[in-house]
């Protein structure tokens, strides 16, 4: 008696999304659109390996390295030998470290400013939840230069992102049409920007120079819109005390924190409004050079973006980004009509991208679209322009086995004209072939001659009309 075959029940792996063909088709459309916009601004594409050195990934987090450690997937052989060392390689959790390594490695071959885009999967070992995956796509753009990077690139980043979102094809279930509409018509989106020099300069100006305390306060500001304020301030007080600060000094630091949060409560639309509001705060009347530079830089960027729609881009001083390598402009993009979902696009300026790899000063600025996070939200809301399973424009029916060769020749002629063509696989009943085309959403069905001396015909599956056609000359309806 033969042994019964063991069957493994197929189960989804939490945090690793996969889509049906019709959804994947929209995903590819989105990639194509984003690629077109990036390239229209002169960004060139690179692709780096999925793995990087573990030590390099851990170093990126700076003071937050412990949190970064929790997210990293290391790469090891399943059957390790005693001589094997500890894991050296890990899957990258974003595309900044790969870019830093790539830039340093190819420094002498690159033309600067180096403008690159990358659209790849990244991996993070965090608990899957709404908008959080373990494997997901990011679409990044960065500009890197040697020694000095002009500030106008900081303004170019949100302008590019707004162009992406204002043309990204979506579906509006409230309209009685199936034609795609831009993302900005189905969701209220806002790009929020700030400059970390403002917060650092403010802290220096009030005498908080301890770098560890500054990092604690930066992370607390970064969580202003993500945690209840009493909970956040309680955690902040505990962290300050744990850092060795005396209770009376802790109270003073908390007071300065409260004062800064007051200017975080209102967004600013232009540089003049920003500066007027800061002058009214008692602790911002300081001659601190870094604070002054941060305000001037942010004002410049805001004013460079005045051509965008009202409220598309605003200054929000609560945007500081938690990672320590950001040094100037920072960005976060949110759904105004779904603020709890968090950022769908973020980034900022950094002073020394590749300092761990090369003895060159390489400042840069970049922004990253959380592609899978954004895409899945629209998928859940039925706002993706999902239409059909097959990419084929035409399906050629199979009249009979004897006419298989004619069927294939017809398909090749149509492909030569640029059409995507599928041929039915066997000469079954015509009704079954038509049902197959309808189920896959193929808009046209081609009928080769079923008998000698007869004409080719084509059927529009949407209108039901059928007419004679020449495979060498046919053009589909507009």
């Amino acid at each position: 008696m033969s042994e019964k075959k063991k069957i493994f029940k197929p189960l989804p792996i939490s945090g690793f999304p996969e889509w049906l063909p019709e959804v994947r088709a929209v995903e590819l459309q989105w990639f194509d659109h984003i690629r077109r916009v990036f390239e229209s601004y002169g960004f060139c594409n690179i692709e780096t390996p999925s793995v990087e050195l573990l030590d390099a990934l851990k170093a990126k987090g700076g003071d937050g390295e412990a949190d970064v450690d929790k997210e990293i997937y290391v790469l090891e052989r399943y059957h390790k030998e005693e001589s094997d060392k500890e894991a050296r390689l890990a899957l990258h959790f974003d595309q900044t470290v790969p870019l830093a390594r790539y830039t340093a490695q190819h420094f002498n071959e690159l033309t600067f400013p180096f403008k690159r885009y990358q659209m790849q999967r990244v991996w993070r070992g965090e608990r899957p939840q709404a908008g959080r995956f373990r494997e997901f796509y990011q679409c990044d753009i960065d500009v890197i230069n040697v020694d000095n990077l002009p500030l106008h690139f900081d303004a170019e980043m949100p302008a590019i992102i707004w162009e992406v979102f204002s043309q990204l094809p979506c579906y509006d279930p409230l309209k009685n049409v199936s034609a795609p509409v831009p993302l900005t018509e189905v969701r209220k989106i806002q790009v929020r920007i700030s400059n970390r020099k403002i917060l650092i300069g403010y802290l220096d100006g009030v005498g908080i120079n301890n770098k560890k305390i500054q990092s604690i306060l930066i992370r607390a500001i970064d969580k202003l819109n993500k945690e209840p304020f009493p909970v956040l301030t309680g955690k902040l007080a505990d962290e300050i005390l744990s850092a060795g600060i005396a209770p009376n000094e802790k109270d003073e630091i908390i007071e300065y924190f409260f004062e800064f949060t007051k200017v975080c409560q209102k967004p600013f639309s232009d540089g003049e409004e920003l500066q007027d509001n800061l002058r009214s705060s008692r602790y911002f009347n300081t001659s601190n050079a870094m604070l002054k530079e941060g305000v001037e830089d942010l004002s410049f960027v805001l004013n460079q973006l005045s051509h965008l729609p009202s409220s598309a881009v605003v200054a929000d001083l609560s945007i500081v980004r938690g990672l320590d390598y950001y040094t100037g402009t920072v960005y976060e993009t949110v759904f105004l009509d779904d603020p709890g979902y968090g950022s769908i696009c973020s980034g900022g300026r950094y002073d020394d991208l590749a300092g761990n790899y090369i003895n060159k000063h390489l400042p840069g600025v970049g922004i990253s679209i959380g592609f899978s996070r954004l895409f899945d939200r629209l998928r859940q809301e039925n706002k993706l322009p999902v239409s059909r399973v097959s990419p084929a424009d035409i399906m050629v029916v199979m009249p009979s086995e004897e006419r298989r060769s004619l069927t294939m020749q017809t398909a090749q002629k149509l492909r030569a004209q640029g059409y995507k063509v599928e041929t039915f696989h066997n000469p079954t009943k015509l009704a079954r072939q038509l049902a197959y085309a309808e189920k896959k959403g193929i808009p046209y069905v081609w009928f080769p001659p079923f008998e000698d001396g007869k004409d080719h015909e084509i059927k529009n599956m949407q209108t039901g009309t059928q007419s004679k056609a020449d495979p060498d000359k046919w053009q589909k309806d507009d």
Side-chain angles (χ1 to χ4, degrees), residues 22-234:
E22 55 269 35
V23 178
R24 173 61 174 164
V26 180
E27 189 175 50
L28 291 175
Q29 290 175 20
W30 277 30
F31 283 138
D32 288 343
H33 165 69
I34 295 169
R35 183 182 299 108
R36 281 193 297 269
V37 175
F38 287 172
E39 291 184 356
S40 74
Y41 283 81
F43 287 80
C44 57
N45 180 245
I46 67 170
E47 184 166 287
T48 58
S50 301
V51 297
E52 295 289 336
L53 289 172
L54 176 59
D55 288 343
L57 292 174
K58 291 169 64 176
K60 183 208 171 182
D63 290 342
E65 181 181 321
D67 291 333
V68 169
D69 282 356
K70 299 174 184 177
E71 297 185 346
I72 295 175
Y73 284 112
V74 297
L75 213 63
E76 293 184 297
R77 291 198 303 167
Y78 179 63
H79 291 290
K80 291 180 64 175
E81 298 178 1
E82 290 184 6
S83 59
D84 287 343
K85 298 179 180 179
E86 291 186 2
R88 293 177 55 252
L89 300 176
L91 295 169
H92 56 239
F93 60 85
D94 72 2
Q95 295 176 137
T96 306
V97 172
L99 175 62
R101 191 264 312 149
Y102 181 96
T103 305
Q105 185 174 330
H106 299 282
F107 179 81
N108 293 324
E109 304 160 85
L110 298 175
T111 300
F112 292 90
F114 176 43
K115 301 177 69 174
R116 86 83 173 88
Y117 75 92
Q118 231 170 314
M119 301 164 64
Q120 290 184 233
R121 285 188 173 101
V122 298
W123 295 266
R124 293 184 186 174
E126 55 185 354
R127 184 174 65 85
Q129 52 186 303
R132 297 284 183 183
F133 300 107
R134 290 171 173 166
E135 178 184 65
F136 53 96
Y137 281 103
Q138 285 185 327
C139 299
D140 293 13
I141 48 174
D142 285 82
V143 183
I144 303 153
N145 202 29
V146 181
D147 295 331
N148 178 60
L149 183 69
L151 192 61
H152 74 83
F153 284 116
D154 294 47
E156 188 175 62
M157 293 290 150
I160 293 171
I161 292 305
W162 186 259
E163 186 169 334
V164 168
F165 290 158
S166 65
Q167 299 174 18
L168 200 62
C170 294
Y171 168 71
D172 188 348
L174 299 179
K175 295 182 177 179
N176 294 322
V177 292
S178 59
V181 298
L183 172 61
T184 48
E185 288 190 19
V186 299
R187 298 304 302 262
K188 294 180 179 179
I189 290 176
Q190 188 174 74
V191 183
R192 297 176 175 176
I193 66 175
S194 187
N195 193 298
R196 279 175 66 134
K197 292 176 185 176
I198 296 175
L199 176 56
I200 300 300
Y202 165 80
L203 295 176
D204 286 342
V206 297
I208 302 177
N209 308 113
N210 184 309
K211 297 301 180 186
K212 189 170 185 179
I213 298 301
Q214 285 190 354
S215 292
I216 291 172
L217 290 170
I218 287 171
R219 289 196 292 272
I221 294 292
D222 188 47
K223 295 176 181 176
L224 268 180
N225 298 317
K226 302 162 188 167
E227 292 187 16
F229 195 71
V231 174
L232 180 61
T233 52

Side-chain angles (χ1 to χ4, degrees), residues 1 4 47 70 131 198 215 268 271 388 400 422 447 450 464:
M1 187 175 181
K4 186 177 180 181
E47 184 166 287
K70 299 174 184 177
I198 296 175
S215 292
F268 310 112
R388 52 196 176 100
S400 63
E422 181 176 352
F447 302 91
F450 280 48

Side-chain angles (χ1 to χ4, degrees), residues 6 32 62 134-135 140 162 165 214 225 237 247 254 261 274 324 336 344 358 382 402 411 463 478:
K6 186 174 182 181
D32 288 343
R134 290 171 173 166
E135 178 184 65
D140 293 13
W162 186 259
F165 290 158
Q214 285 190 354
N225 298 317
I254 294 290
T261 63
L274 167 67
D324 293 335
L336 286 179
I344 56 172
I358 191 173
N382 295 317
E402 292 75 20
T463 64
D478 292 333

Side-chain angles (χ1 to χ4, degrees), residues 396-409:
V396 182
V397 303
M398 183 78 69
S400 63
E401 190 60 43
E402 292 75 20
R403 293 185 176 268
R404 180 179 290 274
S405 178
L406 175 60
T407 300
M408 298 305 176
Q409 290 172 14

Side-chain angles (χ1 to χ4, degrees), residues 193 268-271 274 298-306 314-315:
I193 66 175
F268 310 112
S269 57
D270 58 59
L274 167 67
L298 183 54
S299 298
F300 173 86
V301 172
L302 279 175
N303 294 337
Q304 290 292 303
L305 296 167
S306 60
V314 298

